[in-house]
Amino acid sequence: MKIRLLAAAGGLALLAGCATTPEACDPYNRDASLVAKLSCDAGGGYRARIDAGEQQVELDQEENALFREIHRQISEQQRATRSELRITNQQHHELERNVQALVTRLQRRSQDHLGLQHQLNDLERQMAADPGPSASEAEALSERHAHLEALQQQVDRLQQSLGYTP
């Protein structure tokens, strides 16, 4: 008789375990009874919570990898922008030096040719009027750099709002 009663109670506990949901199985609930904890364990409620937590960790790791990739790409573009501006300035200065050297050399050779001297003077005036690398190009590079900085800040804010550290 006692065996039948124990078997019935055990079967009832197993059926009760099937009736629990993973949301109802909170391992941090200290008020849960032994039967509730047993039903959560037997019914897979605890395992489902663990699986959900592991899946969330995997999703967070994927998102973190995407954030790192975005940071890397933004940094790469910022370096490229600085490099483009530096190279453009270097090329412009090299061009100015070469033109100035040519003008100086031609002035020494053609002091007695008045027409050539006028052309050289015109070229010198034109070089003096040249503002350097085109202002619009420098402005475009500056705007691109500012845009990348703003994008970096937006990504950082988004990352912080999601609880990640940059």
Side-chain angles (χ1 to χ4, degrees):
M1 175 77 141
K2 286 186 181 185
I3 294 176
R4 286 184 187 172
L5 187 60
L6 283 175
L12 196 61
L14 285 176
L15 286 176
C18 295
T20 58
T21 63
E23 294 82 23
C25 296
D26 184 6
Y28 301 107
N29 184 3
R30 294 179 180 240
D31 295 332
S33 68
L34 181 61
V35 174
K37 290 181 179 182
L38 192 64
S39 69
C40 286
D41 192 31
Y46 289 148
R47 171 62 26 210
R49 286 182 69 93
I50 290 170
D51 291 343
E54 288 174 351
Q55 184 179 15
Q56 185 61 43
V57 167
E58 289 174 8
L59 290 173
D60 290 346
Q61 287 173 341
E62 290 172 6
E63 289 174 356
N64 198 10
L66 287 172
F67 275 118
R68 287 183 183 156
E69 179 63 20
I70 289 170
H71 280 289
R72 186 193 62 76
Q73 289 174 348
I74 289 173
S75 296
E76 195 173 286
Q77 286 187 10
Q78 287 173 335
R79 276 192 300 276
T81 301
R82 283 190 296 268
S83 177
E84 287 173 14
L85 183 58
R86 184 180 46 79
I87 289 171
T88 301
N89 286 340
Q90 285 175 348
Q91 289 172 343
H92 182 74
H93 292 304
E94 185 177 331
L95 175 65
E96 282 181 354
R97 279 194 313 268
N98 290 339
V99 169
Q100 188 60 40
L102 178 64
V103 167
T104 304
R105 185 175 178 159
L106 290 175
Q107 281 179 342
R108 276 189 252 137
R109 276 184 57 198
S110 63
Q111 290 179 355
D112 50 330
H113 292 87
L114 189 59
L116 187 58
Q117 192 63 38
H118 286 299
Q119 288 177 352
L120 289 174
N121 290 340
D122 288 342
L123 182 60
E124 281 184 325
R125 276 191 297 257
Q126 188 178 6
M127 282 182 52
D130 185 18
S134 71
S136 63
E137 182 179 328
E139 289 174 6
L141 288 172
S142 177
E143 287 175 13
R144 182 174 175 195
H145 183 71
H147 174 72
L148 289 172
E149 284 291 326
L151 183 61
Q152 178 76 40
Q153 290 174 357
Q154 288 175 341
V155 168
D156 286 343
R157 281 194 302 270
L158 178 61
Q159 195 171 10
Q160 287 175 352
S161 70
L162 291 173
Y164 300 123
T165 55

